[in-house]
C-alpha cells in the first residue's frame, strides 16, 4: 500500500480517512526558503514509500501543517470526531516549533523512512536479524513475528537452566516489543526433549535439597511467564516433544505440528510428576481419561492423536510444514495487534489466578519428587545410558 491510498485501504479505523496533506502540494510562501527543494522532494518521495503506519502518518501530517501554516490555529474537533481529533492533537503537540525546523524534521523523517524501506525490501540472512545475548536460543523479529527458536539441536533441544532463563528473558522482551505474535520452535529434528537431565548433576555445596528448592523456583517462574504472556503465543512443533516442552503447550494459544512430531510426558518413568499446569489444562483439553494416559502412564501420542484430542491445532506434512505454517503466521501477524491481544486476555484472564496457584502446587510437589529414590535412579540410568525413553 502506498501513502496515496484510499480510505478503504487503511486498516486501523481511528485514522482511516487520514490523508497525508503532503500530497496536497500547496506549500505556503513561508516554507519557500533554503530547504524548499528538499521539502518538495520529500513531498514527492513520500508518495513512493510503503505505508509507514498511522502513527508516522500523523507525525508527517503535523510536521507538514507546522511547516506550512505554523502553530495549530484551528478549533479542537469534538471528542467523537476521532480522526480529526488525532490529527489536531498531533499538530497541536508541536506547539510553537518554528516552520523551518518543522520543514527540516519533515525532510529528515521522510529520508529515514526511505532508507529503512530500502533496507527492508531486501531479505537479510537470519544471522543478521538475530537478536544478540542468547546462547541457547536464536531469537529473531520479522514481519511482526518474534520467533524464539531453541537451539541445541545436538542435544535434541534439551532445556538447561540457562535455556529456561533465556526463554524467560526472550518472552519478557517479546511481550514489550512491537511484534503482534510470538512463536516458540526448535532447531533440528526435535522440538525439545524436555528438561536436560544433566540439570540434576551440578549439586551445590549446600546439598541436593537446595538444588531442588532452586529448581522449583526456576520451574515456577518459567511457567508463570507462559501464563502471563500477553500476546498470541504459537508453538511450531517441528519434531518430537518430550516432558515440559509438551506440558506447557496447554498454555499456548495455537499449536501447529509436523506429522513427524510426537508428544510424550514420561513423568512416572522418571519418578516425577506433571508440571506446566498440565494437571489442570490436559484434563480440561482432552478429558480426564486421556490426560491420565499421558500424564500418569506416559503414553506417547502421534501428532494426529494429539490433534484429535485438542492439544494440537493442526498437523501439516513434514515436507511442507515450515512453508505452510509461516505463510499462515505471516497472514495472522497482519491482523490488528491490539484486538488480538485483547481477545487473548478475554479468553485467558479469568483463569490466570487459578493457573498461578496450580503452577505453585505442581512445583512444590515436584520439588519433593526430585529428592525421591525413584527420580534419582531414573536420572542416573539415563545419564549412565542404561535407559532411554
Ligand atoms: C533438582 C533438579 C532441578 C533441576 C531444575 C529443573 C527445572 C525445571 C524442571 C521441569 C521438569 C521437567 C521435566 C521433563 O521435561 S521430563 C522429560 C525429560 N526428558 C527425557 O527424559 C528425555 C531423555 N532423552 C532421551 O530419552 C533421548 O535422548 C531421546 C529419546 C530424546 C532421543 O534419543 P536419540 O537416540 O534420538 O538421541 P540421543 O539420546 O543420542 O540424544 C542426542 C544427545 O542429546 C542428549 N539428550 C537428549 N535429550 C536429553 C535430555 N533430556 N537431557 C540431557 N541430554 C539429552 C543425549 O544424551 C545425547 O547426548 P550425547 O550425544 O552427548 O550422548
Amino acid at each position: 500500500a502506498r501513502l496515496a491510498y484510499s480510505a478503504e485501504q487503511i486498516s486501523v479505523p481511528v485514522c482511516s480517512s487520514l490523508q497525508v496533506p503532503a500530497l496536497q502540494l500547496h506549500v505556503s510562501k513561508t516554507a519557500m526558503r533554503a530547504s524548499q527543494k528538499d521539502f518538495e522532494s520529500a513531498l514527492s518521495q513520500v508518495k513512493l514509500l510503503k505505508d509507514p503506519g498511522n502513527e508516522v502518518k500523523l507525525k508527517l501530517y503535523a510536521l507538514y501543517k507546522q511547516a506550512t501554516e505554523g502553530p495549530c490555529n484551528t478549533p479542537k474537533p469534538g471528542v467523537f470526531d476521532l480522526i480529526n481529533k488525532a490529527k489536531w492533537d498531533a499538530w497541536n503537540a508541536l506547539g510553537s516549533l518554528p516552520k523551518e525546523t518543522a520543514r527540516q524534521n519533515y525532510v529528515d523523517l521522510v529520508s529515514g523512512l526511505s532508507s529503512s524501506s530500502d533496507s527492508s525490501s531486501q531479505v537479510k540472512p537470519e544471522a543478521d536479524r538475530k537478536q544478540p545475548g542468547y546462547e541457547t536460543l536464536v531469537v529473531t523479529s520479522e514481519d511482526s513475528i518474534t520467533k524464539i527458536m531453541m537451539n541445541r539441536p545436538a542435544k535434541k533441544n534439551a532445556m538447561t537452566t540457562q535455556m529456561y532463563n533465556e526463554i524467560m528473558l526472550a518472552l519478557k522482551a517479546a511481550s514489550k516489543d512491537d511484534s503482534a505474535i510470538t512463536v516458540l520452535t526448535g532447531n533440528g529434528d526435535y522440538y525439545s526433549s524436555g528438561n536436560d537431565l544433566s540439570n540434576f548433576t551440578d549439586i551445590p555445596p549446600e546439598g541436593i535439597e537446595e538444588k531442588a528448592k532452586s529448581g522449583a523456583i526456576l520451574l515456577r517462574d518459567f511457567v508463570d511467564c507462559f501464563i502471563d504472556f500477553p500476546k498470541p503465543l504459537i508453538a511450531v512443533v517441528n519434531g518430537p516433544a518430550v516432558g515440559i516442552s509438551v506440558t506447557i503447550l496447554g498454555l499456548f494459544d495455537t499449536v501447529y505440528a509436523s506429522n513427524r512430531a510426537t508428544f510424550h510426558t514420561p513423568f512416572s518413568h522418571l519418578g516425577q510428576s506433571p508440571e506446566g499446569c498440565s494437571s489442570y489444562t490436559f484434563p480440561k483439553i482432552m478429558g480426564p481419561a486421556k490426560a491420565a494416559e499421558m500424564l500418569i502412564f506416559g503414553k506417547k501420542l502421534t501428532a494426529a492423536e494429539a490433534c484429535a484430542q485438542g492439544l494440537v491445532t493442526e498437523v501439516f506434512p513434514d515436507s511442507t510444514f515450515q512453508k505452510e505454517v509461516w505463510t499462515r503466521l505471516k497472514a495472522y501477524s497482519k491482523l490488528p495487534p491490539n484486538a488480538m491481544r485483547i481477545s487473548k486476555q478475554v479468553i485467558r484472564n479469568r483463569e490466570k489466578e487459578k493457573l498461578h496457584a496450580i503452577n505453585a502446587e505442581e512445583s512444590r510437589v515436584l520439588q519433593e519428587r526430585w529428592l525421591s529414590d525413584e527420580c534419582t535412579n531414573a536420572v542416573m540410568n539415563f545419564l549412565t545410558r542404561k535407559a532411554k525413553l
Side-chain angles (χ1 to χ4, degrees):
R2 306 267 168 211
L3 273 171
Y5 34 55
S6 67
E8 299 75 35
Q9 286 170 296
I10 306 173
S11 59
V12 184
V14 73
C15 291
S16 63
S17 69
L18 186 67
Q19 297 292 327
V20 177
L23 306 175
Q24 296 162 5
L25 282 174
H26 59 90
V27 184
S28 79
K29 279 185 193 136
T30 343
M32 300 183 60
R33 287 213 186 130
S35 61
Q36 172 61 25
K37 223 172 147 204
D38 293 341
F39 189 49
E40 277 179 5
S41 133
L43 295 173
S44 314
Q45 223 176 328
V46 92
K47 295 183 217 168
L48 306 171
L49 292 175
K50 265 175 58 185
D51 181 359
N54 285 329
E55 205 177 317
V56 174
K57 283 189 284 183
L58 277 173
K59 273 189 199 149
L60 286 166
Y61 168 85
L63 287 169
Y64 174 84
K65 294 293 274 184
Q66 193 86 4
T68 56
E69 295 181 34
C72 183
N73 55 12
T74 58
K76 184 172 183 169
V79 71
F80 296 113
D81 188 358
L82 294 176
I83 295 156
N84 285 320
K85 188 173 169 303
K87 291 160 77 175
W88 187 91
D89 284 342
W91 183 13
N92 191 48
L94 295 180
S96 56
L97 187 79
K99 285 181 171 180
E100 292 72 20
T101 315
R103 192 171 53 207
Q104 187 58 53
N105 290 356
Y106 185 97
V107 170
D108 291 346
L109 180 55
V110 172
S111 142
L113 291 170
S114 307
S115 53
S116 66
S117 91
D118 287 350
S119 57
S120 68
S121 60
Q122 297 156 9
V123 180
K124 291 190 204 142
E126 187 158 86
D128 291 354
R129 288 178 274 121
K130 199 177 142 182
Q131 293 177 17
Y134 298 100
E135 285 178 21
T136 64
L137 309 175
V138 174
V139 182
T140 48
S141 282
E142 205 186 6
D143 294 321
S144 299
I145 304 175
T146 292
K147 177 170 98 171
I148 302 170
M149 184 168 69
M150 295 174 275
N151 190 33
R152 298 183 73 223
K155 298 284 183 188
K156 312 293 182 193
N157 298 320
M159 295 168 152
T160 55
T161 52
Q162 182 179 9
M163 192 190 279
Y164 289 116
N165 281 310
E166 289 190 358
I167 291 176
M168 287 194 274
L169 277 179
L171 285 175
K172 280 181 185 143
S175 71
K176 294 192 207 105
D177 71 15
D178 57 7
S179 63
I181 62 178
T182 301
V183 171
L184 183 65
T185 190
N187 188 15
D189 61 342
Y190 259 66
Y191 176 67
S192 168
S193 62
N195 188 36
D196 190 309
L197 296 174
S198 65
N199 283 336
F200 289 89
T201 55
D202 59 336
I203 307 300
E206 302 81 42
I208 179 76
E209 286 81 7
E210 259 324 292
K211 177 80 189 177
K213 196 170 160 194
S214 63
I217 293 170
L218 178 65
L219 172 63
R220 185 175 166 174
D221 290 349
F222 179 73
V223 175
D224 276 347
C225 282
F226 287 87
I227 297 171
D228 290 330
F229 194 71
K231 301 177 181 179
L233 185 60
I234 294 106
V236 171
V237 186
N238 53 298
V242 185
I244 190 165
S245 73
V246 176
T247 55
I248 53 170
L249 292 176
L251 301 171
F252 282 65
D253 303 298
T254 301
V255 179
Y256 292 138
S258 149
N259 61 1
R260 234 176 24 79
T262 52
F263 299 83
H264 192 192
T265 50
F267 298 129
S268 299
H269 300 69
L270 292 164
Q272 298 187 31
S273 51
E275 21 64 357
C277 295
S278 58
S279 62
Y280 175 73
T281 57
F282 279 28
K284 205 170 167 209
I285 291 168
M286 55 185 81
K290 294 290 184 189
E293 256 198 319
M294 277 194 89
L295 297 175
I296 302 177
F297 303 123
K299 183 181 178 196
K300 189 190 282 186
L301 301 190
T302 62
E305 286 167 339
C307 191
Q309 290 178 16
L311 183 61
V312 164
T313 312
E314 193 168 335
V315 181
F316 298 82
D318 194 56
S319 55
T320 55
F321 178 61
Q322 297 291 343
K323 190 162 176 271
E324 288 196 61
V325 163
W326 288 104
T327 304
R328 174 100 49 107
L329 291 176
K330 277 178 194 167
Y332 287 168
S333 71
K334 293 192 176 72
L335 292 169
N338 293 334
M340 289 198 284
R341 185 192 277 257
I342 286 163
S343 296
K344 170 164 180 163
Q345 279 166 20
V346 170
I347 295 167
R348 297 256 173 197
N349 271 8
R350 72 179 71 88
E351 293 253 87
K352 261 190 178 181
E353 218 174 300
K354 188 168 197 166
L355 289 170
H356 284 301
I358 289 160
N359 181 27
E361 174 66 1
E362 288 177 346
S363 303
R364 191 191 60 72
V365 172
L366 203 38
Q367 179 179 341
E368 285 171 18
R369 282 277 89 214
W370 287 331
L371 301 175
S372 70
D373 287 347
E374 287 178 344
C375 178
T376 311
N377 292 338
V379 172
M380 286 315 293
N381 278 340
F382 175 78
L383 294 176
T384 54
R385 294 299 185 275
K386 284 190 214 141
K388 212 173 246 190
L389 291 171

